Amino acid sequence: MHLITFSHLRWNFVYQRPQHLMSRFAKIFTTYYVEECFYSEQQDGYSTIATPEAVTIVQLHLNGLPGNKEEEDERCMKILHDFFHDQEIHNYIFWYYTPMAMAFTHNFHPALVVYDCMDELAAFKFASPSLKKMEEQLLAKADIVFTGGQSLFEAKRHLHSNIYPFPSSIDKDHFGAARNSAAQPTDQFNIPHPRLGFFGVIDERFDIDLIKNAADLRPDWQFVLIGPVVKIDPASLPQKANIHYLGSKTYTELPAYISGWDIALIPFALNESTQFISPTKTPEYLAAGKPVIATAIRDVVAPYAENGLVRIVANAVELVHEASEELAYKDKNLWLSSVDAFLAPVSWDATWNSMVQLMQYAQDEKQILLIKKNAEDVRLFGSGSRTGRVRVSRKVGEQS
């Protein structure tokens, strides 16, 4: 069995949900990760890259510059067929992170179709106008749907009969290393304390004004921001002596940076693009043993804030107030015990195992329905009904 994943995210962009799950699927399936096509001077075709996790990245490249979308989808479809032929792929599962891939995969016949709806992509900046239509087609074709959080599940549950919420999970051992790490990365070593840190993509979801205003209120506090800047003008970011942009870091490097923070931040704006997000960094920060201050993202409020694990703020004044209280709160053992108890059953392994089980149920149900349909066809064919019935005569070529 082959698992073919279609994603809007480059594998090497930020290590998150797709990488965690596909790395585990690679242990039981031959797993391919198909990225969005890109344009080059090469002839239409594909290239592959093997990852250390045993996932094969498939890059579709089109010759020339962007042009007619329908024509490009047809070209991508041909490239994908060539890839399937070359790799002798016949028995396969399709796993979608982007509905846009439906445009060049609709004529394939996978054994199972999974839609892992990680985000409400239609609400993101520069989303394709046809994304909603493509999602409708994908939901019609999908055998099972997962969502990246509870709020997204509530928004989508009426659209499919076999849908399940899977909020962001955690590699506790990886981030737990931050609790005992002593050595500090070179570019963070000389930044004074207290340090309030953030890692993740800095884009239209990031509340720039919240960080700027908090930095103005407390010039003696240091704000450490880690991650790529995308879809927004870097010039729009506040430039202050106590705001430090350290750029992108690898997944492996993150615990060392977090270990040097006093407080971890989730400073997302409350807008259309954040309405249904479930930030993976919430449990990652907590596993690292860092107090968390966040804006009122629904999937952070419930369950994290409701369980007393995260502080919620609405503006810079509240952020400074809550951070001041947190910095003065020296004995965190009781809070850490609550964090560890809450995170105890949470892991990417557990998430993956549950998904595999549900996929097996969906596959079994699909087979049962197919058997029933075939049995019904046989019954109708042999029932004596003349509708659509062909009786072969003993005389060759004679039919009635």
Side-chain angles (χ1 to χ4, degrees), residues 322-393:
E322 294 295 328
S324 297
E325 284 198 350
E326 192 61 61
L327 292 170
Y329 182 52
K330 301 301 181 184
D331 186 1
K332 294 182 171 56
N333 289 329
L334 183 60
W335 173 79
L336 278 173
S337 295
S338 298
V339 166
D340 291 341
F342 182 86
L343 294 180
V346 182
S347 72
W348 281 115
D349 284 338
T351 295
W352 176 75
N353 278 315
S354 296
M355 286 180 166
V356 169
Q357 188 175 38
L358 289 168
M359 288 167 64
Q360 185 62 60
Y361 291 157
Q363 178 66 24
D364 291 345
E365 182 67 19
K366 191 173 185 177
Q367 290 298 320
I368 290 170
L369 291 174
L370 182 61
I371 291 170
K372 287 182 177 179
K373 180 180 183 303
N374 289 339
E376 180 67 11
D377 289 345
V378 170
R379 187 187 68 79
L380 289 173
F381 186 80
S383 65
S385 168
R386 299 187 61 84
T387 304
R389 185 177 176 215
V390 177
R391 180 168 57 83
V392 180
S393 169

Side-chain angles (χ1 to χ4, degrees), residues 41-71:
E41 296 180 355
Q42 304 176 56
Q43 293 301 308
D44 287 8
Y46 67 87
S47 56
T48 60
I49 303 170
T51 74
E53 299 88 352
V55 175
T56 300
I57 303 170
V58 182
Q59 297 178 328
L60 311 180
H61 43 86
L62 300 177
N63 176 259
L65 298 173
N68 182 281
K69 183 67 170 59
E70 290 186 7
E71 178 190 349

Side-chain angles (χ1 to χ4, degrees), residues 279-291:
T280 307
K281 59 183 59 58
T282 313
E284 291 172 344
Y285 287 161
L286 292 172
K290 295 302 172 183

Side-chain angles (χ1 to χ4, degrees), residues 142-164:
D143 298 298
I144 188 168
V145 178
F146 304 132
T147 66
Q150 185 65 31
S151 60
L152 193 54
F153 167 75
E154 292 169 2
K156 301 281 186 183
R157 64 190 306 176
H158 67 288
L159 300 176
H160 202 276
S161 61
N162 195 28
I163 182 170
Y164 304 89

Side-chain angles (χ1 to χ4, degrees), residues 80-101:
L80 196 61
H81 275 290
D82 290 343
F83 170 74
F84 270 51
H85 177 269
D86 295 343
Q87 302 300 319
E88 299 182 346
I89 299 173
H90 305 291
N91 192 22
Y92 55 93
I93 295 168
F94 273 0
W95 182 293
Y96 291 87
Y97 280 109
T98 172
M100 296 304 293

Side-chain angles (χ1 to χ4, degrees), residues 3 40 49 54 65 78 107 128 141 155 186 205 208 232 244-245 249 284 291 316 329 340 353-354:
L3 177 66
S40 71
I49 303 170
L65 298 173
K78 182 183 182 306
N107 69 342
S128 170
K141 188 173 182 179
T186 304
R205 297 170 295 176
I208 296 172
I232 61 173
H244 309 269
Y245 301 96
K249 306 299 175 186
E284 291 172 344
Y329 182 52
D340 291 341
N353 278 315
S354 296

Side-chain angles (χ1 to χ4, degrees), residues 189-260:
F189 184 82
N190 291 319
I191 297 176
H193 287 269
R195 298 175 186 156
L196 287 74
F198 165 87
F199 73 72
V201 180
I202 301 173
D203 56 15
E204 75 273 18
R205 297 170 295 176
F206 193 81
D207 194 334
I208 296 172
D209 289 336
L210 178 64
I211 296 299
K212 174 183 177 298
N213 294 337
D216 283 339
L217 290 171
R218 292 304 301 255
D220 55 324
W221 291 1
Q222 309 302 312
F223 295 82
V224 179
L225 308 180
I226 291 174
V229 179
V230 300
K231 295 192 287 185
I232 61 173
D233 183 359
S236 66
L237 298 175
Q239 303 298 320
K240 295 181 177 297
N242 63 332
I243 300 179
H244 309 269
Y245 301 96
L246 302 189
S248 296
K249 306 299 175 186
T250 67
Y251 183 72
T252 303
E253 294 174 306
L254 290 177
Y257 282 91
I258 302 171
S259 69

